[in-house]
Amino acid sequence: MTVVDRYLRPRVDPTRIGHLILWPISIMMVIHRSLILAVNGARTDDFTPVYNAALAFLNQRAVYNENYETVDPHYLYPPSGTLLMSPMAIIDPQNSRWLFIAISVVVLIVCAYLLTRLFGFDHRSWIFPALIFAFFSTETVAHTLIFTNFNAFVLLGMLAFMMLMLRRQDLWAGVAIGLTLAVKPILAPLLLLVLLNRQWKILITAVGVPLVLNVLAWPLSNDPMDFVKRTSPYLFESRDYYNSSITGNGAYFGIDGWLVLLMRIAFALMAVFSLWFLYRYYRRTDELMWLATSSGVLLGTFFLVGALGQGYYSMMLFPLMMTVVRAGSAVRNWPAWLGAYGCLSFDVFYSKEWEPFGRYLEYGKVTWGWSLLMIAVFCSLLFRYLDMRRDGVLDADADELDSREPTAVA
């Protein structure tokens, strides 16, 4: 070995380069988002209503007595969620919030690890720190920490549900998703995949866990019926603020009702086709691809066509975006990632020079991001369907497809 090779151009194991680059910037990203931005907080505060509700619950005071005419964050969790969140009110608000942020950060790192393992990578690979960096660079994770929301725990429940479902540990998979449903029903559409895959046992605990928790919480609550009478109707209203669904965006920008309805129907029909194609041609050939892509289609469409879709729900699309590492992914195209930029980017588009344009872009970026992502997935699958029809393989079963040339479905 020459002097130049030994001292000036020393060899570095290529497998270590990713770690050398990614771990330092990932750690700094976590520190900045948690210790700086999250501790600083913002005008939007999701934590205080939850803390006040937990404190009221522990002291047998009314919980569901808010004025829903205001635009402030409201407490919307059912009695089962109040029961689970009540321990946070044992300590003072500031320390409780800081502890909640710290636990959320740990949960998000665990989620990055689980997503790494779910797609077959070792935790020592560069994928793990890359995912941590990607997670904490997004708007959805940043605002979850800044607003101090429960979303990180929902993502943890989703990933645990998917891993346990794939391993056929059905009852535990139901527990994982059931605990999230007891607080926030965001993942409820995923129960359709349970039905399609005929893993009936999952439903026992997925439905049973929130039901049991509600039964336990009901007699301990001061006003449980007010959740049914006052809060539940509000949950199904489509408000025109902090709402990136089609109806919310349409209400804010004054779009005609017929056009809003037409767009909702169009995205619902695209989702139906995508789910059918994934079920018919992917469930037996690549179950992970089927589950991750179908979950993304279900949740993305639910955010768009439902009454309420908030930007930080987008972290539930992480498994869909992670499918890019597998052959046959429906997000291996630039429109999908442009859509991901819209709904995941932490960039702000307010402009002093072009104020109206910047405001429209800022308020609409999550909606068009979800929309473009769902359209890209639909078109990717539709083109594969058309190629298969052209080649006469639509009626082939999974074994026959595996034995043919994979050009049509790769």
Side-chain angles (χ1 to χ4, degrees), residues 336-397:
W337 287 93
L338 183 59
Y341 173 83
C343 63
L344 294 174
S345 170
F346 200 34
D347 293 349
V348 175
F349 285 90
Y350 292 117
S351 171
K352 293 182 179 180
E353 188 69 28
W354 302 284
E355 192 275 334
F357 175 76
R359 181 165 56 88
Y360 295 152
L361 193 59
E362 175 64 23
Y363 290 172
K365 68 174 184 177
V366 174
T367 308
W368 69 252
W370 287 339
S371 301
L372 185 55
L373 180 56
M374 293 301 102
I375 291 171
V377 171
F378 165 75
C379 289
S380 178
L381 298 176
L382 176 63
F383 295 154
R384 294 174 196 186
Y385 169 83
L386 295 175
D387 288 342
M388 293 172 69
R389 187 176 68 174
R390 180 198 62 203
D391 295 338
V393 298
L394 283 178
D395 296 327
D397 60 23

Side-chain angles (χ1 to χ4, degrees), residues 107-129:
V107 165
L108 286 164
I109 294 173
V110 171
C111 288
Y113 169 77
L114 292 179
L115 195 57
T116 301
R117 299 294 299 149
L118 180 64
F119 280 83
F121 297 100
D122 191 89
H123 68 280
R124 290 166 294 189
S125 75
W126 63 270
I127 296 291
F128 183 33

Side-chain angles (χ1 to χ4, degrees), residues 270-298:
M270 284 191 288
V272 169
F273 170 82
S274 298
L275 292 170
W276 168 80
F277 186 85
L278 289 163
Y279 178 81
R280 174 69 177 83
Y281 296 104
Y282 277 89
R283 189 172 67 94
R284 288 179 57 195
T285 58
D286 190 341
E287 192 174 19
L288 173 58
M289 180 74 77
W290 165 74
L291 183 59
T293 309
S294 296
S295 67
V297 170
L298 272 172

